[in-house]
Each structure stands twice: as C-alpha cells, then as structure tokens.
Amino acid sequence: MNNELREISAAYRSSRRNAFLFSGIGIAWAAAQFELKTMTLGFLGGVNIEGASIPIIIITLCIYSMMRCTLEYMMQKKSVRRWELAKLDYRIALYLTRLTCLVLTASTLARTKEMVVYVLGISLLAFLGFIVLVPVMMFITMPVRLFIRRVSGRISVANSAIEAYYYSLLIVGIIYIIILFLVGFSVINPFIYLGPKLQAITGMQISIFSIVGLIVLFCFFFDQRFLNMVFAFEPLFIDKTWIDEKGHECYTKIRNQAHPDYKADKHDSSKKINIKTQKIDNSKNDLHLIDTIPNDTTKENDN
C-alpha cells in the first residue's frame, strides 16, 4: 500500500472545496460581515432571498455539500481513504461543517462577531472538558469494574480498564446531554454573559440552539463507527472463538487478512508477537490460559 500511487479525484476536490466555501460563508454571515440578498442558481439565474431564512438556506447547503463530499471520498481507492493526510483533510471539513451549523443557529439570537467567538469558545471548552473528564471518571469506574469482576470470579485488569473507559465515555456523554437539556428548558442560559441585549431572547430560540447542539453531540457519539466506514478501516487483529472437545469456550486473536499491512507483517519477524488463547470453563466461570500461540500459526487459516 505504501508504494501505491495515491491520487485524489477531481470530483472529491470540488465537493470538498464547496464544503469549505459554504462553511466560510456561513461563519462570515453569522459574524455580520456581509448581507445576502440574491443567490445565483446556475441556468435558473438569480433568486431573491432577502425575505428568506438565511441560516436555514446556508445550513442546508453545508449539509448537502458535506454529504456530497462524503460520497466522493468513499468512492476513492481504499489506499486513498486510508491515507492519513486525506483522513485529516476530511475530518477538518466534517467538523467545520458541524461548527458552522452551530454558529448559524446561534446567529438567530444575535449576528455579531462576539457571538461567533463565544460559540467557538464554548465548543472548544466542551471538547477539552470531554478529554479531561473521561480519564478523571475512569478513576471512579475502574475500581467498581474490578470489584464486580472479582465478585464474579473473573479477574482481568485489562478488560476492566476497557470497560471502565467505555463507561466513562457513557457517563460524561450523559452529563453533556443533561446540560443541553437544561439549556433547552431555559434552566441554564449560557448567553446571559454576552450583555443585556441577549437577556431578552425567547425560550424557543434557546430550545432550537439546544436541539442543534444535541444533534451535533450525537454525531460525535457515532463518529467512530461512521469514520471507520468512511476510511475503510480494517483492524489488525480479529477475535475468534470456538468450542473445544471438552465443551470449553476458547478465545484468541488472529491477524486480519483484510488489513492492508497483513502480507508485509506476516513475514516480518520483527513484528511478530505472542497471542495468548483463553479457555473459559462455562460451568465454573473459571478462566484458564492454555499454551501461547504464535501469531502466524495454522489457526490463521481457520477463519
């Protein structure tokens, strides 16, 4: 894969450029840098949009251009879709589109540069807060998971750490959802610090901003699965389970033959690792480790 020529198609470049263009227009309009009175629609000519809802129009254009960009990206070669620079470029376009939708929603409250900067600051603070809160929450959930596994007779620090991490993600996510619900019901008004002119905003306006914020938040929750599909992700190892002749459930990891580096790593002795196979006695809930299995044994051919 490293020696293969990676070239991005012109169609993807065009759709990505449109996504950046509409996002820039949306943020600039929200900051009251210009007014939109007409829009050119190709052979249809100019359309008067002075009395229309500009945020809805720009948000629709942003979402459409990002969907088109996603489809064009997924039609690239797998080597291009897995290219780190291409992935970074796509992420920037995706996150900028989401941020533009949030800023345009806030612009219905006030079209000022201060509002744009304030929303950007809140978004950055929420992102950094999530990164900090997840490991902090792990210090609470990790002992709980260890205790539960110890009571059930399965002591595994690694599995407990993985479970604690996902539980931490879930708990922090629920906290963020609760905060946005409180904003939507006007229990918390995050815009009260922007001056007296924003103290008169209606509860409906704040609710709409809260709904859009929830949609953006849920998009981040499903990012891992969505981006794995877009980037043609293949894990280096896959799990394999089987039942032996004694009725025990056996578990191991084998190399994924669909991974782009499979052929290179299979014959590279410097990258060989040992994988332990676990045998579980379902009748007693005991965990036994049997012989260590090299990563390129005949069990790879069983999948």
Side-chain angles (χ1 to χ4, degrees):
M1 183 186 72
N2 295 330
N3 298 326
E4 185 178 349
L5 179 62
R6 291 175 290 201
E7 183 178 357
I8 297 177
S9 68
Y12 171 68
R13 293 178 186 272
S14 176
S15 60
R16 179 194 57 187
R17 182 174 60 251
N18 291 337
F20 280 112
L21 176 62
F22 289 128
S23 295
I25 291 174
I27 293 176
W29 185 87
Q33 298 299 302
F34 65 94
E35 294 291 339
L36 283 175
K37 296 183 179 180
T38 60
M39 179 177 293
T40 302
L41 298 178
F43 66 92
L44 295 178
V47 178
N48 186 4
I49 59 173
E50 189 172 359
S53 178
I54 306 300
I56 294 178
I57 294 176
I58 300 178
I59 288 176
T60 303
L61 291 174
C62 287
I63 293 175
Y64 170 77
S65 61
M66 194 63 233
M67 290 175 59
R68 185 68 185 177
C69 181
T70 301
L71 293 175
E72 293 293 345
Y73 187 93
M74 294 181 68
M75 287 189 282
Q76 306 300 303
K77 295 180 180 179
K78 287 187 177 181
S79 59
V80 174
R81 294 165 64 185
R82 292 166 177 162
W83 190 12
E84 291 300 327
L85 291 178
K87 289 161 63 175
L88 176 62
D89 181 74
Y90 176 83
R91 286 178 185 269
I92 293 174
L94 178 64
Y95 297 153
L96 183 61
T97 300
R98 294 175 182 175
L99 184 61
T100 302
C101 294
L102 200 60
V103 168
L104 283 168
T105 306
S107 71
T108 60
L109 309 178
R111 282 186 61 204
T112 62
K113 291 184 290 186
E114 291 77 11
M115 175 63 77
V116 173
V117 174
Y118 187 69
V119 173
L120 292 176
I122 290 179
S123 302
L124 180 61
L125 184 63
F127 177 75
L128 296 177
F130 195 91
I131 294 176
V132 173
L133 286 175
V134 169
V136 170
M137 192 62 62
M138 283 189 65
F139 285 103
I140 300 175
T141 56
M142 181 71 174
V144 176
R145 295 307 306 166
L146 283 173
F147 174 76
I148 293 175
R149 280 190 162 271
R150 190 178 297 111
V151 171
S152 63
R154 295 184 179 183
I155 303 174
S156 174
V157 177
N159 290 339
S160 297
I162 295 173
E163 292 173 355
Y165 172 73
Y166 283 108
Y167 275 110
S168 299
L169 288 177
L170 178 62
I171 293 172
V172 176
I174 292 176
I175 292 175
Y176 273 52
I177 291 173
I178 292 175
I179 292 175
L180 286 172
F181 266 110
L182 293 177
V183 172
F185 287 102
S186 300
V187 178
I188 299 176
N189 185 356
F191 304 105
I192 198 172
Y193 305 103
L194 290 179
K197 65 178 181 179
L198 287 179
Q199 295 179 2
I201 57 178
T202 64
M204 178 62 68
Q205 290 175 306
I206 296 181
S207 297
I208 293 175
F209 178 82
S210 176
I211 291 172
V212 175
L214 281 171
I215 294 174
V216 172
L217 181 63
F218 278 112
C219 287
F220 278 102
F221 287 164
F222 295 100
D223 257 359
Q224 189 65 43
R225 181 175 298 180
F226 171 71
L227 292 178
N228 284 347
M229 176 186 65
V230 173
F231 298 151
F233 172 77
E234 288 289 348
L236 182 58
F237 296 97
I238 56 177
D239 297 337
K240 179 182 177 182
T241 59
W242 72 93
I243 306 297
D244 65 4
E245 63 279 0
K246 295 182 179 180
H248 296 156
E249 180 183 2
C250 299
Y251 163 85
T252 189
K253 287 180 178 291
I254 60 176
R255 286 194 179 277
N256 183 9
Q257 297 183 15
H259 193 275
D261 295 332
Y262 171 77
K263 292 182 180 179
D265 287 350
K266 182 178 180 181
H267 303 290
D268 189 350
S269 59
S270 64
K271 296 184 179 180
K272 289 182 179 179
I273 62 173
N274 290 327
I275 304 174
K276 290 184 177 180
T277 298
Q278 295 178 345
K279 179 183 291 185
I280 302 174
D281 189 345
N282 296 322
S283 61
K284 298 180 180 179
N285 288 330
D286 292 331
L287 181 65
H288 306 283
L289 293 181
I290 60 178
D291 295 337
T292 299
I293 301 177
N295 57 359
D296 54 359
T297 59
T298 56
K299 287 190 177 296
E300 276 192 8
N301 301 322
D302 294 338
N303 65 333

